[in-house]
Amino acid sequence: MERRAFRLNGFVVLLALTVATPAAAAVALAGILLDTTLAVRIACWVVAGLVALVIVALATGFTIVNPNEARVVQFFGRYFGTVADDGFKWVVPLSVKRRVTLRVRNFETSKLKVNDAVGNPVEIAAVVVYKVVDSGKAIFAVDDYEEYVAIQSEAAVRHLATTHPYDTTIVPSGSDASDATSLRDGAQVAAELTAELRERTDLAGVDVVEARITHLAYAPEIAQAMLVRQQAAQVVAARAMIVEGAVGMVGMALDRLAEQAVVELDEERRAAMVSNLLVVLCGDKATQPIVNTGSLYA
């Protein structure tokens, strides 16, 4: 939608008007001072008045464009074009010139309370970095592009939270969210949020540079219970890893004893050794050794 507006160097036009103004004044003064007929005097005054009106009208076309800004030119309700070149410019006179910043901007959404993919209430907020790339759409496609971006950002954050679980480690197996990306997977979630926001804000001529989650937590009413659940899940995972490592170490110890013929163990002695080694390797506390001075079968 955006197109370049006709514009001239403002200093060149200003110089031309500076030359034309004394000329109009001279014509008007000639009509007063010269000893001519009334018709000639009236003609001089009319010409001088018309020139003065043209000069005043042309003077309304001046505008100053700052770096990383644009001026959207609207001529009697019609979109005339956009001036994005910084400096002192002259455009079509009697037009409305609306300022649009092209700088990179950012804002943070408010903390939203929504249910994640498995129904747990969470608090979530995000920061959105964007800039205007089509000033025509930004002005005419929506009422207020800043408000539009803010509302669409909150809608996208809500949709993101409802389609992803807070933590995949506590999602019931077999559920639809068991294979989904966790909200805590920052890079992937940020890329998905950015892509969705770009689709939503393209109508307003806005390009979302980046969007990232800045706040993510369980809602206060379930925060303590979910913390206990997370701790329990981590304890179970750690125990499983310890047991897996302990079984491997026990098997390696028995194999080495058999290979080097250090001692011959029957099934009962092997079972006792396995039990002792697993107790030592899997126990929470340091074990106290007991020296057996008798026979295992006594």
Side-chain angles (χ1 to χ4, degrees), residues 74-125:
Q74 191 175 0
F75 184 69
F76 288 97
R78 177 174 173 268
Y79 174 53
F80 191 78
T82 300
V83 180
D85 303 334
D86 58 287
F88 184 46
K89 304 295 179 180
W90 182 86
V91 296
V92 59
L94 303 178
S95 60
V96 177
K97 296 166 278 294
R98 303 174 66 175
R99 171 182 173 273
V100 179
T101 179
L102 305 180
R103 298 183 179 93
V104 176
R105 313 175 72 181
N106 69 90
F107 75 97
E108 186 174 10
T109 65
S110 57
K111 293 181 181 179
L112 307 175
K113 185 177 180 181
V114 295
N115 292 337
D116 67 356
V118 294
N120 295 322
V122 298
E123 292 181 347
I124 187 172

Side-chain angles (χ1 to χ4, degrees), residues 11-25:
F11 294 103
V12 174
V13 179
L14 181 62
L15 178 61
L17 294 182
T18 303
V19 174
T21 301

Side-chain angles (χ1 to χ4, degrees), residues 1 10 23 26 53 96 118 138 142 157 168 181 184 224 247 263 271 280 286 295:
M1 180 177 181
L53 289 176
V96 177
V118 294
V142 294
V157 172
T168 56
T181 304
R184 299 192 298 176
Q224 186 61 35
V247 171
V263 65
V280 171
S295 173

Side-chain angles (χ1 to χ4, degrees), residues 160-180:
L160 180 74
T162 57
T163 54
H164 294 273
Y166 178 92
D167 189 356
T168 56
T169 61
I170 59 175
V171 175
S173 59
S175 64
D176 295 337
S178 58
D179 297 330

Side-chain angles (χ1 to χ4, degrees), residues 112 114-115 152-164 183 192-193 196 200:
L112 307 175
V114 295
N115 292 337
Q152 292 300 321
S153 297
E154 291 195 359
V157 172
R158 288 183 180 274
H159 178 259
L160 180 74
T162 57
T163 54
H164 294 273
L183 289 173
E192 183 176 339
L193 180 60
E196 181 175 352
R200 289 173 176 265

